[in-house]
Amino acid sequence: MEILVLAEHRRGELREISLEMLSKAKEIADKTSGEITAVLLGQGVKDFADTLANYANKVLLIEDPKLENFNAEAYQKVLSALIKERNPAMVMIGHTAFGMDLAPALAVELDLPLATDCMDLEIDGDSVFAIRQVYSGKVNVKVSFSGAKKCMVTMRASACQIAEDMKLGGAIETVDSPLTEDIDYKIFSGYEEAAAGEVDITQADILVGVGRGIGDPDNIPMIEELAEAIGGVVSCSRPVVDKKWLPKDRQVGTSGKTVKPKLYLAVGISGAFQHLAGMNGSDLIVAINKDPKAPIFAAAQYGIVADLFKVVPALKDKINELKGA
Amino acid sequence: MDIIVCVKRVPDTSEADVKIDGSGKNIDLEDLTFDINEWDNYAIEEAILIKEKVGGTVTAITMGPEESNEVLRRCMAKGADAAIRLTDDAFEGSDGYAIARILHSAIKDLSFDAVFLGAQAGDDGYGVVGPMLAEMLGLPHATLITKVDLEDGKVKVHRELEGGLEEVVDINLPAVLGIQTGINEPRYVSIMGIRKVAKKEIPVKGLADIGLSADDVGEAGSKTKIECMYIPEVGEVAEMIEGSPDEAAAKLAQILKEKGLMG
């Protein structure tokens, strides 16, 4: 069986999700005597093909100025032509901002069953099962494709480990772009960086991360006081930014910043996967949360299960006391 | 600008103790509170903001049992002009594909300039309904939208990418737009506001009304199937610092001091 993996790149960089997916594809290929085909669409991306060739049995390279920047509509046209021709057993796409825009419409066009945001894939005989998280990450679901022989999956970023160089030495095959005209109904017009704030949280040695548990913007100063006492900077999880309680440049996580401080003190953060992916490289993680089942405790080395409104002021006082001693 | 907004009533599990039900294929919904899906709350707000700026109508549509009316009424209290509820026993067990198909059949003959949806739902989080619906309608789409600016016959949208980056995309109308959280500040509705729309009629449509057959929807019309749900095993967890909040705080402060992690 052929496993077709769509490589992803952005602004001149091959994105890690590409190798994560190819590594997962190799596991499946080993169990099914399958072949891995990486598909690379873009313009001036030949270098990426060389990298991908180590992780795939074959690399299909389609270069076209119309594919220079990601455009789900253009990608869909190219991929649907390619998939119809090759008829792979599995199509693997990243559950990224690009993949989320592309995969569902492509699946409908090709009449393929689709499971998105997969953490893992299991193989049992001829059947593929997708493992996903549902209900705030508290529950896992095992999904099948109702007996279909072919399927499409999108894989969650950072969910699969990148294998050591797989040395597959795949051949790079250049394919002509099937795009004949410009897509004029959906046009990429540029990138925009999030505005830089007064502090760069990626440079801080100590971060006090605050989450939804803070409950009200009026409680943010309490966190700032703790951060000041401990000599750190305040960062936050997504809900705090969504509610405009702190600016976007303080957000840690896949859609915010990746941080690796010496200490990450998570306060009132439940620990959604997307947040953990942005901070699990920290040297020491300490979590304060009232829910003993919060996933943050699985990422932390130390935890306190308690009401943050009681612990945080006490901690601030203790730190000031010890500093003064 | 006439906008259709697809909304969904979901259980709030963010702080709840979640258990698997007897079927092993769903969670026990008994003790949970329900509300509009968080993403949809931003989508309805964005549609109403646009209506308030340029005129037009907003229609909220949902698939669900009678309890879903409360979500629709909330949308109307915020400023939606009308609502439609799709319900049928046959819809039970529909996956994202089947839901997109149901929505497609219900709205394909309506007149609109855009369909807004939350980019994903807080319950199962597939994030597929919007782009699938767009493909079925033959319309362009974009998802994870953090900004919408109307221009002549099109919209300029910002899409959230990873790492704090956004891309700016121009899309011709009509289009299907998947809205990301944080795009606006959803308004609150008062009890008075909800009372005002309590008598507004919400048309209900079933399988036959939207021209589908039982094979098209529910488990029969779905392309994916839930095999089982389970609470994942938690691996190694943190060393828990016990004691009263004061005691725990004191112990933690001492640990941080010993590790040299104090300003």
Side-chain angles (χ1 to χ4, degrees), chain A residues 66-121:
Chain A
K66 298 184 189 71
L67 295 169
E68 185 173 359
N69 291 293
F70 176 82
N71 181 329
E73 307 278 350
Y75 264 57
Q76 186 177 335
K77 278 196 164 43
V78 175
L79 288 169
S80 67
L82 201 65
I83 292 166
K84 277 176 197 160
E85 187 193 306
R86 303 186 67 89
N87 211 16
M90 180 188 285
V91 177
M92 207 184 272
I93 295 174
H95 193 72
T96 57
F98 290 164
M100 288 175 80
D101 217 32
L102 165 71
L106 179 63
V108 169
E109 181 185 350
L110 294 168
D111 199 27
L112 286 175
L114 167 68
T116 59
D117 198 15
C118 302
M119 314 267 300
D120 200 3
L121 302 172

Side-chain angles (χ1 to χ4, degrees), chain A:
Chain A
M1 67 179 242
E2 181 181 31
I3 305 167
L4 194 144
V5 179
L6 176 65
E8 186 170 319
H9 58 90
R10 190 175 85 187
R11 298 176 110 182
E13 274 181 36
L14 185 65
R15 309 199 67 215
E16 285 189 355
I17 183 73
S18 310
L19 300 188
E20 290 169 16
M21 289 192 291
L22 288 166
S23 303
K24 179 53 67 180
K26 179 74 165 62
E27 278 177 41
I28 297 166
D30 286 347
K31 287 178 193 158
T32 57
S33 28
E35 293 273 301
I36 307 165
T37 304
V39 177
L40 176 61
L41 314 183
Q43 174 66 14
V45 291
K46 175 79 175 56
D47 287 355
F48 302 153
D50 295 334
T51 306
L52 295 169
N54 294 324
Y55 287 81
N57 301 104
K58 179 181 279 188
V59 180
L60 299 178
L61 171 65
I62 303 184
E63 293 204 287
D64 184 331
K66 298 184 189 71
L67 295 169
E68 185 173 359
N69 291 293
F70 176 82
N71 181 329
E73 307 278 350
Y75 264 57
Q76 186 177 335
K77 278 196 164 43
V78 175
L79 288 169
S80 67
L82 201 65
I83 292 166
K84 277 176 197 160
E85 187 193 306
R86 303 186 67 89
N87 211 16
M90 180 188 285
V91 177
M92 207 184 272
I93 295 174
H95 193 72
T96 57
F98 290 164
M100 288 175 80
D101 217 32
L102 165 71
L106 179 63
V108 169
E109 181 185 350
L110 294 168
D111 199 27
L112 286 175
L114 167 68
T116 59
D117 198 15
C118 302
M119 314 267 300
D120 200 3
L121 302 172
E122 289 178 3
I123 301 289
D124 184 5
D126 283 347
S127 303
V128 178
F129 298 94
I131 308 298
R132 319 177 55 250
Q133 280 187 335
V134 289
Y135 296 112
S136 330
K138 293 184 175 174
V139 177
N140 280 10
V141 60
K142 182 174 177 179
V143 176
S144 73
F145 299 96
S146 309
K149 293 275 176 257
K150 294 177 291 176
C151 66
M152 182 183 292
V153 293
T154 67
M155 300 302 296
R156 178 178 281 194
S158 313
C160 308
Q161 294 277 329
I162 296 178
E164 298 276 311
D165 185 353
M166 303 192 309
K167 295 196 171 59
L168 290 178
I172 299 169
E173 190 180 311
T174 305
V175 179
D176 288 337
S177 169
L179 292 178
T180 47
E181 49 199 59
D182 283 323
I183 309 255
D184 59 1
Y185 46 89
K186 183 173 185 180
I187 300 168
F188 168 86
S189 77
Y191 289 111
E192 210 160 282
E193 309 266 2
E198 50 202 70
V199 286
D200 182 356
I201 57 169
T202 64
Q203 298 302 313
D205 281 342
I206 296 177
L207 286 174
V208 181
V210 57
R212 197 191 289 262
I214 195 69
D216 191 288
D218 293 343
N219 298 324
I220 299 279
M222 181 181 82
I223 303 298
E224 283 167 347
E225 285 167 25
L226 172 62
E228 197 185 334
I230 200 169
V233 169
V234 175
S235 63
C236 64
S237 62
R238 165 158 212 136
V240 174
V241 174
D242 280 348
K243 291 174 197 295
K244 319 273 187 264
W245 296 348
L246 281 172
K248 176 86 182 170
D249 62 281
R250 300 289 181 121
Q251 187 187 331
V252 170
T254 44
S255 57
K257 291 184 170 152
T258 300
V259 296
K260 290 176 179 171
K262 290 179 182 155
L263 169 64
Y264 192 90
L265 178 54
V267 180
I269 290 177
S270 63
F273 186 89
Q274 291 77 2
H275 185 75
L276 300 182
M279 49 67 93
N280 56 15
S282 307
D283 290 347
L284 182 70
I285 299 170
V286 178
I288 301 171
N289 202 297
K290 67 178 178 194
D291 178 5
K293 289 186 180 167
I296 190 78
F297 288 122
Q301 284 83 51
Y302 292 99
I304 297 178
V305 178
D307 181 353
L308 73 92
F309 296 102
K310 293 193 174 123
V311 177
V312 169
L315 183 59
K316 182 196 75 177
D317 290 345
K318 284 290 165 198
I319 287 168
N320 282 333
E321 219 177 283
L322 289 176
K323 273 185 5 190

Side-chain angles (χ1 to χ4, degrees), chain B residues 26-140:
Chain B
N26 204 348
I27 58 167
D28 189 347
L29 299 169
E30 194 119 316
D31 297 326
L32 298 173
T33 55
F34 285 74
D35 204 348
I36 185 169
N37 171 39
E38 192 180 350
W39 282 260
D40 299 346
N41 200 30
Y42 287 95
I44 189 81
E45 180 66 31
E46 195 63 21
I48 292 167
L49 289 172
I50 290 170
K51 182 188 106 163
E52 287 170 350
K53 206 161 146 192
V54 302
T57 63
V58 173
T59 303
I61 184 164
T62 195
M63 188 194 99
E66 203 170 344
E67 291 84 352
S68 299
N69 278 349
E70 67 189 52
V71 166
L72 295 175
R73 291 210 190 280
R74 197 164 280 259
C75 292
M76 288 195 282
K78 286 172 184 245
D81 302 274
I84 303 168
R85 184 165 64 89
L86 308 172
T87 192
D88 200 296
D89 288 346
F91 294 167
E92 189 73 22
S94 295
D95 71 354
Y97 175 81
I99 292 170
R101 199 162 181 188
I102 291 164
L103 289 170
H104 168 249
S105 300
I107 70 175
K108 67 182 192 320
D109 297 325
L110 302 179
S111 156
F112 58 83
D113 300 296
V115 179
F116 285 12
L117 314 85
Q120 66 183 71
D123 53 0
D124 58 10
Y126 279 96
V128 297
V129 173
M132 282 187 169
L133 175 62
E135 179 69 20
M136 292 171 186
L137 288 165
L139 296 177

